[in-house]
Amino acid sequence: MPKIKTHRGAAKRFSLTGTGKVKRSKAFASHILTTKTTKRKRNLRKSTVMDKANAKAIKKILPYL
């Protein structure tokens, strides 16, 4: 059986936590920042855990994480 290729785009965006959950960064923090409050921008800097439904698909394309 050949080795499975890792999806390189996903590998740059997601990582696994110690308990096996998928960690991701938040969206909407790249441009048009003048209309967003400082509190909102500060909270967007933090990473978050992906929901179970999408995490299953991400784990499939990242077999060796």
Side-chain angles (χ1 to χ4, degrees):
M1 196 75 184
K3 289 192 279 184
I4 304 166
K5 284 192 174 181
T6 299
H7 190 291
R8 297 312 297 161
K12 292 164 189 172
R13 287 169 173 83
F14 307 109
S15 60
L16 287 185
T17 62
T19 55
K21 294 175 183 173
V22 180
K23 194 168 72 171
R24 66 168 178 88
S25 57
K26 291 179 182 174
F28 308 110
S30 59
H31 63 101
I32 318 175
L33 297 171
T34 52
T35 58
K36 293 166 187 145
T37 64
T38 308
K39 182 181 178 180
R40 184 175 165 192
K41 289 184 280 190
R42 184 170 61 246
N43 287 326
L44 288 171
R45 284 201 295 261
K46 300 171 186 173
S47 61
T48 186
V49 175
M50 185 171 278
D51 57 288
K52 286 182 188 175
N54 292 323
K56 190 177 179 182
I58 296 301
K59 284 183 179 181
K60 193 175 279 188
I61 61 174
L62 298 174
Y64 302 108
L65 275 186

